[in-house]
Amino acid sequence: MFRVATLNAYDKVINTLQKRQQDLVEAQQQLTSGKRVLHASDDPVAAARAERARALQQRSEANQRAVDASKNSMTLTESALGDAGELLQQARELVVAAGNASYSDAQRQDVAKQLAEIRKQLMSVANRGNGAGGFVFSGQGTSQPPFLDAPGGVAYTGTGGQVEVASDEQLPLTFDGRQVWMGARTGNGVFETRNLGSSSAWIDAGRVTDPAQITGSTYSVSFSVVGGVTTYSVFQDGNPTALSGQPYTSGQAITIDGMSFAVNGTPADADAFEITPSAVGLSVFDALDRVVNALKTPNQTPTQVTQAVQTGLRDVDQSLGQLQSSRSLAGETLNRIEGVQARVTDLKLFAKTTESDAEDLDETQAISDFANQQTGYQVALQTYATLQKMSLFQYINS
């Protein structure tokens, strides 16, 4: 015969009551927090998924901050290059005006002063701050303005290269100032023409007629005047070429090895011009300094003024092209940043959705479960109350 003691029945009912109470508390906590998984033990697999999702979300947020920093920096850079381009365009117009044959020395000196003021403004743009204690064109960083205006010319005190953000995407925080402001190619970008001292003739910037024929050699054009007849000879690296003793006509193109250039004016006997390969290293500031100094020099012949203007325009155009290329690069970077931002936003949304799927509560189901838990708990309380009335002593007393 199996006997159930009153104490044993009490214990079972109390255990059930406590279990019901614990379930009710947990259901209430889930409703309050909106989370199905409050502890890893609630659902280890879901908890692990949620933890991985949170880690991905944190990494995405770090990437977002880095992308935002790059976007701010590139926006400042693009704006600075835009300002510099406008200033250099103004300088170009002034150089063109200085070539007016009717200008006096005083008028050309006035143009030189205006160019000097534009140069100062360009210097300010080149040393523009980024709002965070650094400089837009500081390269890999410097605590001082990256461009120093010294007696011998402008020097770059920054560190070459650029800084990139610390993220999954390779995005720049700075531009290499030396490359932007001092990295244009000399001459016309392929070769450079030079006047070696003629005061009665000038040489233009030239052009490339056949890139495949460019040799990279240094050429010189020497003039000879005998009996009132002017001829020229072209030398390649000091050696005679087929162009020897050629009759000279002002402005007529001289073509050799894929290059074409023209000498204008009336060269004197022994006048010479040089054609050298272009090199990287033309500075915006040096280009302006040379034309400013030339325009400030009084008592120049019209030919000397023309040569100064033509050389100045060539160098300004090359510098302007370098600034425009850098601005285009900044613009392309901003476009790429927009794409990166979209990817980072999508990744953050994916991480958030994954975390929500893993541990968030189905409120409709949770409310139903909570109501069931309440009902279960009430039934357990009633059962316990009924059991208390079933003792023999209570029966006798009644």
Side-chain angles (χ1 to χ4, degrees):
M1 183 177 179
F2 179 74
R3 294 190 307 159
V4 178
T6 301
L7 180 60
N8 182 261
Y10 280 172
D11 288 343
K12 287 185 176 181
V13 172
I14 290 174
N15 288 338
T16 300
L17 183 62
Q18 291 175 340
K19 179 64 170 63
R20 295 285 189 180
Q21 186 178 31
Q22 182 180 354
D23 292 344
L24 182 62
V25 170
E26 289 179 355
Q28 189 174 23
Q29 288 178 341
Q30 288 179 341
L31 275 175
T32 303
S33 65
K35 300 291 184 182
R36 180 179 64 84
V37 180
L38 296 173
H39 309 286
S41 58
D42 294 340
D43 188 338
V45 174
R49 284 181 59 206
E51 188 61 33
R52 287 195 296 270
R54 279 191 288 270
L56 178 60
Q57 191 172 351
Q58 290 173 355
R59 188 165 66 251
S60 298
E61 289 173 351
N63 286 339
Q64 182 67 63
R65 289 192 292 271
V67 170
D68 289 343
S70 179
K71 182 177 181 179
N72 292 337
S73 178
M74 289 302 100
T75 299
L76 288 173
T77 301
E78 196 275 339
S79 176
L81 290 171
D83 293 343
E86 291 179 3
L87 287 169
L88 206 54
Q89 186 62 45
Q90 294 175 23
R92 189 186 191 284
E93 293 171 2
L94 287 170
V95 174
V96 171
N100 191 323
S102 65
Y103 271 25
S104 65
D105 284 348
Q107 288 173 306
R108 282 193 291 271
Q109 289 175 3
D110 183 60
V111 171
K113 290 178 182 178
Q114 294 179 62
L115 287 171
E117 288 300 317
I118 289 177
R119 181 192 180 280
K120 289 181 182 179
Q121 295 180 60
L122 284 168
M123 190 73 175
S124 177
V125 173
N127 283 328
R128 183 171 293 180
N130 60 10
F135 300 90
V136 172
F137 299 103
S138 62
Q140 296 187 47
T142 176
S143 59
Q144 302 295 327
F147 293 92
L148 177 64
D149 201 352
V154 174
Y156 184 68
T157 62
T159 304
Q162 64 182 26
V163 176
E164 294 184 345
V165 297
S167 72
D168 296 340
E169 301 282 350
Q170 292 184 339
L171 296 172
L173 274 176
T174 61
F175 262 31
D176 186 341
R178 187 194 303 277
Q179 181 179 358
V180 173
W181 295 87
M182 298 177 162
R185 296 190 66 85
T186 58
N188 60 22
V190 177
F191 60 89
E192 179 181 3
T193 58
R194 297 174 180 170
N195 187 330
L196 299 183
S198 174
S199 61
S200 57
W202 60 274
I203 188 170
D204 65 11
R207 61 188 181 89
V208 175
T209 58
D210 188 351
Q213 294 185 20
I214 299 296
T215 64
S217 297
T218 296
Y219 298 80
S220 61
V221 182
S222 296
F223 285 84
S224 175
V225 181
V226 178
V229 177
T230 302
T231 60
Y232 69 88
S233 298
V234 179
F235 298 85
Q236 180 180 7
D237 294 328
N239 301 311
T241 67
L243 297 179
S244 180
Q246 299 294 309
Y248 167 73
T249 300
S250 177
Q252 187 176 66
I254 300 173
T255 302
I256 184 171
D257 294 342
M259 302 180 298
S260 179
F261 48 89
V263 175
N264 297 264
T266 309
D269 187 43
D271 275 355
F273 299 85
E274 188 177 57
I275 299 89
T276 60
S278 290
V280 174
L282 174 62
S283 164
V284 173
F285 309 104
D286 288 348
L288 290 178
D289 285 342
R290 282 193 290 269
V291 71
V292 166
N293 290 335
L295 295 177
K296 287 169 63 177
T297 302
N299 302 320
Q300 293 191 85
T301 66
T303 302
Q304 288 175 316
V305 172
T306 300
Q307 184 70 81
V309 168
Q310 290 295 319
T311 301
L313 282 176
R314 180 197 66 191
D315 292 346
V316 167
D317 284 344
Q318 285 297 111
S319 298
L320 185 58
Q322 179 69 6
L323 289 178
Q324 290 172 339
S325 296
S326 299
R327 188 182 184 186
S328 296
L329 180 58
E332 290 172 4
T333 303
L334 285 171
N335 289 335
R336 185 157 61 93
I337 286 173
E338 290 183 2
V340 172
Q341 283 183 318
R343 291 196 296 273
V344 170
T345 299
D346 290 344
L347 195 59
K348 286 172 63 179
L349 179 60
F350 169 76
K352 189 66 177 175
T353 302
T354 301
E355 180 188 8
S356 176
D357 291 343
E359 64 179 16
D360 279 4
L361 193 65
D362 183 343
E363 293 189 1
T364 302
Q365 183 64 42
I367 292 172
S368 176
D369 291 343
F370 182 71
N372 291 336
Q373 295 292 351
Q374 280 186 314
T375 302
Y377 182 59
Q378 290 173 355
V379 170
L381 283 174
Q382 291 173 356
T383 302
Y384 178 68
T386 302
L387 184 62
Q388 282 187 321
K389 297 178 182 180
M390 291 178 63
S391 71
L392 177 61
F393 298 105
Q394 285 182 328
Y395 178 76
I396 295 172
N397 290 336
S398 62

